């Protein structure tokens, strides 16, 4: 007959000692296996009938004959409970049970038994029955963080007086960051092909640099009249030397294919120019191949951007992710009226560190910042739209840009939920100042409240200059600053709509501050409108968004002939959402129109392996979910990390789900 004894995971390393005493305590008992006997169809009913009786008999036997051993196990349990900050005491059934089969028969036992692998993350019915709350988890402290996470995580060094650690646009644009994850062929074949070609060109360039470096050093020491011949000889033999440097099969264009020689030649030219810049030699120190007709200075100017991109690529390959920390004060400072969209707030709410408000800075955020600064320097408005699969971090990216732009000194109108804006304007009414237009005064009040909270001091330096807008305002506001107008409008439903239109018009045309409108769920604008009024076709047809006065200045890209004028200084940043009930056809049409209008598309992808490892360390650092308790077991286990990558596809929202469930 087989008896089952249940021991918690905390006692496993003492179970082996206990089993060695079993033959001494009672010679009839012989341990067969750790594990649980597979269900025998012939004896299954018998086992079910005697299970409870067997456990009771074994317990009595142990209490009478091995009382000292049981007290040793109890003492071990007490130590585990105290070292786990009371967690074992509050969750006695959380630990998975080990089933020990003991054969009480005199003879051998041929019953089929097996080892059962117990998943430490499995949520059993006993776990659910405990009805544990968040407060029942062990007390978190920074002392519990593993050395892996301490050594791995890197934070922005630009700390403000309030403890926040947020880069501005300039710092963000120059920040070295790890390379993004490569495109997946099944999702975007074109992007994957482009990525593959670019990666191979970088690979060839590195091989050319390795081969050319000793040769170029020799050339630099030669007399001037011999350098040209040496450079020509270097070009002639470079392709053959590179073939030996790169193992077969590591490049797309290899062997006798003509593009391979072409890429090698261009890579060598790029390397020679880089050497020339570093060494500060004259143009004739190293001569570019004679077939190049343009001067070396012209070539340098044409290739400068490509070289910088390549060097940035190499620098990024050696970089680790960087985290910014809003702290609660930073969130209140930059997002007091709107809050932060997406699931990042769920991440923060689940953290044991209640003050930390961290975001991992990624390469798409840097690309957006670079575009904003480039357009600012060239005197044109930036137009960027952000795409990506659900849960990859588009909302986090634009929230980072909002904070960086505001810290830079720009004025930002942030609309985190266009879908809600499109459908719940409280009420709509005919405009009293604009013919055939409609007003949404309550929404105008909320926009003005945001501008006042985030940019009140900057608005104090601006005055109204557009005469037609001045005439629409009450007399006591016509000579006031924008801050006065915004302050009055945010508290008065009668003035709100006019005040918002006047403020937006002034911000779009002034040159003192860069002005950005930043949206999440921008594709919701392109779905069917949900505003109705009897004055517009008898309420049988919804009012188009461009006929709502408060919305009109925001619709600056993607609407073709209905686009409003862009701001003189600043730009528009918009994220395309995939979670809202927006028709797929509307989203596809919107993206096509945005591309046709010349907007820069920035795609946010899944985590790279480097980013994935660092975000796991971040979750342990702030105490989220299972990593709050089992952090070391996960971070030190390569198989566990590989499993999480497979389970989540390296998508942020899925990873968060996997560690909190």
């Amino acid at each position: 007959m087989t008896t089952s004894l249940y021991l918690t995971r905390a006692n496993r390393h003492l179970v082996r000692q206990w089993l060695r005493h079993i033959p001494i305590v009672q010679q009839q008992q012989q341990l067969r296996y750790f594990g649980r006997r597979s269900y025998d169809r012939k004896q299954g009913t018998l086992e079910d009938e005697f299970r409870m009786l067997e456990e009771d008999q074994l317990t009595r036997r142990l209490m009478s004959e091995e009382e000292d051993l049981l007290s040793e196990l109890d003492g071990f349990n007490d130590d585990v409970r105290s070292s786990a900050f009371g967690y074992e005491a509050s969750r006695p059934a959380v630990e998975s049970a080990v089933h020990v089969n003991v054969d009480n028969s005199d003879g051998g036992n041929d019953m089929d038994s097996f080892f059962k692998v117990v998943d430490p993350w499995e949520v059993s019915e006993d776990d659910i029955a405990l009805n544990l709350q968040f407060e029942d988890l062990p007390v978190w402290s920074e002392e519990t963080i593993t050395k892996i996470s301490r050594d791995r995580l890197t934070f922005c060094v630009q700390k403000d007086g309030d403890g926040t650690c947020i880069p501005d646009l300039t710092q963000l644009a120059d920040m070295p960051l790890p390379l993004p994850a490569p495109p997946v062929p099944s999702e975007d074949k074109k992007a994957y092909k482009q990525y593959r070609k670019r990666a191979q060109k970088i690979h060839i360039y590195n091989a050319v640099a390795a081969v050319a470096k000793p040769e170029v050093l020799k050339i630099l020491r030669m007399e001037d009249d011999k350098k040209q011949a040496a450079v020509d000889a270097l070009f002639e033999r470079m392709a053959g030397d590179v073939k030996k440097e790169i193992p077969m099969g590591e490049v797309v264009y290899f062997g006798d294919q003509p593009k391979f020689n072409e890429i090698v030649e261009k890579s060598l030219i790029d390397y020679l120019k880089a050497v020339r810049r570093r060494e500060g030699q004259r143009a004739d120190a190293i001569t570019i191949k004679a077939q190049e007709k343009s001067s070396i200075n012209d070539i340098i100017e044409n290739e400068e951007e490509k070289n910088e991109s390549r060097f940035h690529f190499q620098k990024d390959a050696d970089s680790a992710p960087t985290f910014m920390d809003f702290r609660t004060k930073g969130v209140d400072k930059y997002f007091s009226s709107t809050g932060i969209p997406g699931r990042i707030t769920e991440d923060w709410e689940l953290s044991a560190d209640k003050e930390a408000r961290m975001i991992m800075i990624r390469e798409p955020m840097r690309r957006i910042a670079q575009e904003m600064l480039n357009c600012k320097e060239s005197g044109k408005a930036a137009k960027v739209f952000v795409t990506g699969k659900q849960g990859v971090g588009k909302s986090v990216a634009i929230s980072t840009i909002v904070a960086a732009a505001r810290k830079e000194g720009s004025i930002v109108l942030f609309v985190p939920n266009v879908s809600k804006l499109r459908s719940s304007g409280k009420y709509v009414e005919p405009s009293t100042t604009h013919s055939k237009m409609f007003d949404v005064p309550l929404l105008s009040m909320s926009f003005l409240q945001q501008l006042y909270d985030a940019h009140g001091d900057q608005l104090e330096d601006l005055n109204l200059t557009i005469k037609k807008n001045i005439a629409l305002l009450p007399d006591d506001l016509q000579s006031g600053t924008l801050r006065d107008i915004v302050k009055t409008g945010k508290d008065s439903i009668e003035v709100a709509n006019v005040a918002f239109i006047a403020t937006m018009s002034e911000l779009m045309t002034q040159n003192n501050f860069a002005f950005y409108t930043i949206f999440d769920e921008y594709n919701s604008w392109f779905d069917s409108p949900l505003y109705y009024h009897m004055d517009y076709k008898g309420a049988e047809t919804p009012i188009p968004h461009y006929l709502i006065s408060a919305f009109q200045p925001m619709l600056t890209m993607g609407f073709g002939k209905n686009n409003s004028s862009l701001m003189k200084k600043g730009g528009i940043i918009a994220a395309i959402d995939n979670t809202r009930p927006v028709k797929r056809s509307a989203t596809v049409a919107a993206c096509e129109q945005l591309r046709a209008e010349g907007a820069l598309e920035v795609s946010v992808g899944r985590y790279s392996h480097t980013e994935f490892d660092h975000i796991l360390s971040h979750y342990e650092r702030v105490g989220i979910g299972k990593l709050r308790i089992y952090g070391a077991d996960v971070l030190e286990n390569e198989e566990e990390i590989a499993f999480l990558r497979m389970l989540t596809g390296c998508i942020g929202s899925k990873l968060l789900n996997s560690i909190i469930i």
Side-chain angles (χ1 to χ4, degrees), residues 25 30 72 225 233 251 291 305 501 604:
V25 173
Q30 299 176 1
E72 180 184 356
D225 57 347
V251 294
Q291 64 186 22
E305 184 176 352
I501 294 173
V604 180

Side-chain angles (χ1 to χ4, degrees), residues 111-125:
M111 291 183 297
D112 180 25
S113 299
F114 66 97
F115 288 94
K116 179 181 179 182
V117 179
V118 181
D119 184 359
W121 284 20
E122 180 181 358
V123 181
S124 67
E125 293 182 1

Side-chain angles (χ1 to χ4, degrees), residues 80-120:
V80 170
R81 289 173 183 140
S82 61
S83 63
F85 305 99
Y87 182 57
E88 293 290 334
S90 63
R91 283 189 75 195
V94 166
E95 299 290 347
S96 305
V98 175
H99 303 269
V100 182
N101 291 337
V102 182
D103 183 13
N104 292 331
S105 61
D106 293 334
N109 192 336
D110 296 331
M111 291 183 297
D112 180 25
S113 299
F114 66 97
F115 288 94
K116 179 181 179 182
V117 179
V118 181
D119 184 359

Side-chain angles (χ1 to χ4, degrees), residues 142-151 620 631-632 635-636:
E142 293 190 5
E143 287 72 20
T144 63
I145 302 170
T146 61
K147 187 176 184 299
I148 294 177
S149 296
R150 292 178 185 275
D151 296 341
E620 194 221 358
L635 296 175
E636 296 175 0

Side-chain angles (χ1 to χ4, degrees), residues 285-304:
I286 297 180
T287 306
I288 304 303
K289 197 167 179 57
Q291 64 186 22
E292 298 288 342
K293 295 181 180 180
S294 57
S295 66
I296 188 169
N297 291 329
D298 294 335
I299 297 176
I300 290 176
E301 291 178 1
N302 294 334
E303 298 290 334
E304 186 73 28

Side-chain angles (χ1 to χ4, degrees), residues 434-447:
H434 297 76
S435 176
K436 298 181 181 180
M437 300 286 287
F438 293 84
D439 296 341
V440 281
L442 291 181
L443 284 177
S444 298
M445 292 175 67
S446 67
F447 293 144

Side-chain angles (χ1 to χ4, degrees), residues 372-527:
M372 295 168 71
L373 293 177
N374 291 338
C375 290
K376 183 178 178 180
E377 292 175 359
S378 61
K380 63 180 182 180
K383 294 193 296 183
V384 180
F385 69 106
V386 183
T387 60
K389 294 174 68 68
Q390 178 180 347
V392 294
K394 299 183 296 295
S395 298
V396 176
I398 63 169
S399 298
T400 302
I401 295 299
V402 170
R406 284 178 169 167
K407 185 173 182 181
E408 183 89 6
S410 302
I411 297 176
V412 177
L413 178 66
F414 182 38
V415 184
N417 46 7
V418 173
S419 61
K420 182 178 179 181
L421 201 69
R422 179 178 68 94
S423 60
S424 58
K426 308 301 182 183
Y427 69 89
V428 61
E429 61 186 21
S431 177
T432 58
T433 56
H434 297 76
S435 176
K436 298 181 181 180
M437 300 286 287
F438 293 84
D439 296 341
V440 281
L442 291 181
L443 284 177
S444 298
M445 292 175 67
S446 67
F447 293 144
L448 293 171
Q449 182 70 57
Q450 178 189 159
L451 290 173
Y452 183 81
D453 292 342
H455 304 288
D457 294 339
Q458 293 163 293
L459 296 176
E460 185 70 32
D461 299 330
L462 299 174
N463 296 296
L464 282 179
T465 59
I466 304 175
K467 293 182 179 180
K468 67 177 183 179
N469 290 331
I470 296 175
L472 298 176
L473 292 169
D475 294 340
D476 58 336
L477 292 178
Q478 291 183 1
S479 60
T481 64
L482 281 190
R483 187 178 189 276
D484 298 330
I485 297 171
V486 169
K487 183 178 180 181
T488 302
K490 73 182 181 67
D491 297 325
S492 173
I493 194 171
E494 291 80 10
V495 183
N497 208 82
V498 174
F500 178 67
I501 294 173
T503 302
M504 286 293 291
S505 299
E506 195 64 41
L507 291 174
M508 301 281 280
T509 56
Q510 54 82 38
N511 287 311
N512 293 0
F513 301 98
F515 174 56
Y516 295 97
T517 53
I518 301 182
F519 301 88
D520 198 6
E521 307 170 359
Y522 192 72
N523 51 321
S524 295
W525 283 126
F526 301 88
D527 205 0

